[in-house]
Amino acid sequence: MGSPPKTLLEIAEDIKRDMGNKVKYVALRAADPEFPDVPLVNLTTLENRQLCVAITTCGLCIIGHTHDSLEGLNFVTRDYLSDQADQSRSYGHVKLSQQVSVSSAVFDDVQYYETIYSLLDDISPMYRGAFCSELSDKLLMLQQSQEKN
């Protein structure tokens, strides 16, 4: 039997721990008093792009284009809460490995991502390069260790 699913706050902590050299800055942000169950993460990409990311049961999404910016939080949480009441909305049921678009008055297109890695892969070319370089280094080390044996 597997371990219980992680809470949204545990996912936020994992993001903070796992980012290392993949972003310039990452920190958990205090929850908004109106939406205490939605963990928020401030991050700065390697391109110096500041973001505020919400972690929801629908996935991760950018809610602000500067640290601590909550301009999209009301829309994201309102849609999530109304989706709980109206299970007919398709984006609440899409497998999280697919990006989900939701139109909003705040943002032209809200994207939900399954992981912080898929979010960064979409918005940060330097993250993609750092990820590929790290993967290449690990494969090279594996090849060298196999050659020694």
Side-chain angles (χ1 to χ4, degrees):
M1 190 164 179
S3 58
K6 291 187 176 191
T7 67
L8 295 176
L9 188 55
E10 289 171 329
I11 292 169
E13 290 287 346
D14 288 347
I15 288 170
K16 184 178 176 191
R17 183 178 42 258
D18 291 347
M19 283 297 91
N21 65 344
K22 296 171 185 77
V23 295
K24 286 191 173 184
Y25 173 81
V26 62
L28 293 179
R29 184 200 181 282
D32 184 77
E34 266 188 80
F35 307 103
D37 296 333
V38 180
L40 304 171
V41 176
N42 284 328
L43 65 88
T44 303
T45 67
L46 295 172
E47 295 86 1
N48 288 317
R49 183 176 174 193
Q50 291 187 2
L51 302 169
C52 187
V53 176
I55 303 169
T56 73
T57 56
C58 293
L60 287 81
C61 64
I62 299 169
I63 59 161
H65 297 288
T66 60
H67 293 166
D68 299 322
S69 176
L70 306 177
E71 60 212 44
L73 181 60
N74 188 39
F75 172 77
V76 168
T77 54
R78 184 182 68 241
D79 270 1
Y80 166 70
L81 292 172
S82 64
D83 187 48
Q84 292 290 316
D86 176 13
Q87 291 298 313
S88 65
R89 289 193 176 167
S90 62
Y91 66 84
H93 306 286
V94 174
K95 289 176 64 176
L96 285 177
S97 59
Q98 302 171 3
Q99 289 182 9
V100 182
S101 297
V102 181
S103 297
S104 88
V106 178
F107 295 118
D108 291 336
D109 196 25
V110 176
Q111 296 285 327
Y112 288 88
Y113 300 87
E114 182 176 5
T115 66
I116 191 67
Y117 308 107
S118 59
L119 184 150
L120 287 170
D121 185 60
D122 191 41
I123 66 165
S124 175
M126 291 179 76
Y127 162 79
R128 224 175 357 262
F131 177 83
C132 289
S133 178
E134 184 178 313
L135 180 60
S136 178
D137 290 346
K138 287 180 180 181
L139 289 171
L140 183 60
M141 286 179 10
L142 178 63
Q143 179 184 11
Q144 289 171 346
S145 70
Q146 288 180 344
E147 288 173 355
K148 288 179 184 179
N149 293 335

